[in-house]
Amino acid sequence: DVKVTQSSRYLVKRTGEKVFLECVQDMDHENMFWYRQDPGLGLRLIYFSYDVKMKEKGDIPEGYSVSREKKERFSLILESASTNQTSMYLCASSVVSYEQYFGPGTRLTVT
Amino acid sequence: AQRVTQPEKLLSVFKGAPVELKCNYSYSGSPELFWYVQYSRQRLQLLLRHISRESIKGFTADLNKGETSFHLKKPFAQEEDSAMYYCAPPYFKLIFGTGTRLQVFP
């Protein structure tokens, strides 16, 4: 079974803090993705990576950055957290043009 | 951008009723679409993919190129089908549909 794990299930941070969300997959997938999931808005792609050190912006990259130093790990960074970044964050991985495998999600609250 | 549209945010039916969750796509070429499902407190997971033409948990989805649709159907809904359903293309810059919440009442 493909395993995609995320470092935290729940996270509470203060406005202005730098936040790191970590994602690890164990199936040697080339592609990794970060989404945020909000009621009524569905899944919105923040960033994706198709190889180590390679990244591309998704639909809503503003306020976020990413890092992929190793194939199995993809980090999402909120440089200065704001309340409008309170959301559920989902990480996923895939082989090119195949189904995505999702992590359990991190519910981030920014106060 | 390659995009799919799910026009309904919420679909409510009674147990045993037929269900159809709508998905339309807006890109050209040979589409290959997926349906994902998220049950309460579980991770998002693949339900079925167009190319395999399979039936999973009684659900089927037929690609209609003329209508550019990939609707998800089940003849008799069950309470355990209550979940969020997302339609998605598999291309590089995936853009998921906004999702449809299916509620099946007893």
Side-chain angles (χ1 to χ4, degrees):
Chain A
D1 265 357
V2 176
K3 283 249 173 57
V4 181
T5 57
Q6 295 182 229
S7 50
S8 305
R9 292 300 302 271
Y10 300 94
L11 209 52
V12 180
K13 295 292 182 181
R14 294 196 178 277
T15 301
E17 279 193 83
K18 191 169 186 176
V19 181
F20 293 87
L21 302 182
E22 303 284 336
C23 175
V24 178
Q25 52 96 1
D26 66 357
M27 284 300 290
D28 203 36
H29 284 171
E30 293 90 352
N31 297 334
M32 295 188 75
F33 307 84
W34 276 106
Y35 295 90
R36 60 179 285 177
Q37 184 180 32
D38 300 289
L41 297 177
L43 285 174
R44 292 180 292 167
L45 181 64
I46 303 171
Y47 268 97
F48 68 97
S49 169
Y50 49 92
D51 202 352
V52 175
K53 296 190 187 295
M54 306 302 287
K55 62 186 179 186
E56 281 201 29
K57 294 179 180 179
D59 295 331
I60 51 164
E62 296 78 20
Y64 304 94
S65 62
V66 291
S67 172
R68 193 166 180 201
E69 296 296 320
K70 293 185 178 181
K71 191 173 186 179
E72 68 271 18
R73 188 180 297 269
F74 191 35
S75 302
L76 179 70
I77 303 154
L78 287 66
E79 296 291 341
S80 177
S82 63
T83 54
N84 62 12
Q85 292 178 310
T86 291
S87 186
M88 173 69 85
Y89 289 88
L90 300 182
C91 174
S93 72
S94 77
V95 178
V96 176
S97 294
Y98 283 84
E99 69 181 274
Q100 292 186 67
Y101 293 86
F102 285 85
T106 296
R107 184 166 294 283
L108 173 67
T109 302
V110 183
T111 60
Chain B
Q2 298 162 344
R3 193 170 292 277
V4 296
T5 305
Q6 294 178 252
E8 303 143 328
K9 291 191 175 181
L10 176 65
L11 185 62
S12 300
V13 301
F14 286 101
K15 178 182 173 181
V19 169
E20 182 180 60
L21 293 97
K22 292 183 168 54
C23 172
N24 290 91
Y25 60 92
S26 62
Y27 49 89
S28 59
S30 179
E32 185 178 330
L33 290 147
F34 297 103
W35 276 99
Y36 289 82
V37 62
Q38 188 173 29
Y39 302 104
S40 179
R41 296 187 180 85
Q42 294 187 28
R43 65 181 68 194
L44 199 60
Q45 59 187 290
L46 180 71
L47 178 62
L48 58 81
R49 68 197 79 187
H50 150 249
I51 195 169
S52 63
R53 299 185 176 277
E54 57 200 342
S55 173
I56 302 292
K57 299 184 179 183
F59 284 97
T60 57
D62 290 321
L63 184 68
N64 186 321
K65 292 185 180 180
E67 296 181 359
T68 61
S69 68
F70 188 55
H71 302 330
L72 184 68
K73 300 177 184 179
K74 185 170 183 177
F76 307 103
Q78 303 298 315
E79 288 179 70
E80 56 265 29
D81 296 329
S82 296
M84 277 295 290
Y85 292 81
Y86 293 95
C87 182
Y91 298 116
F92 209 71
K93 264 188 124 167
L94 292 179
I95 300 178
F96 278 66
T98 50
T100 298
R101 178 168 297 282
L102 174 64
Q103 291 181 330
V104 182
F105 295 111

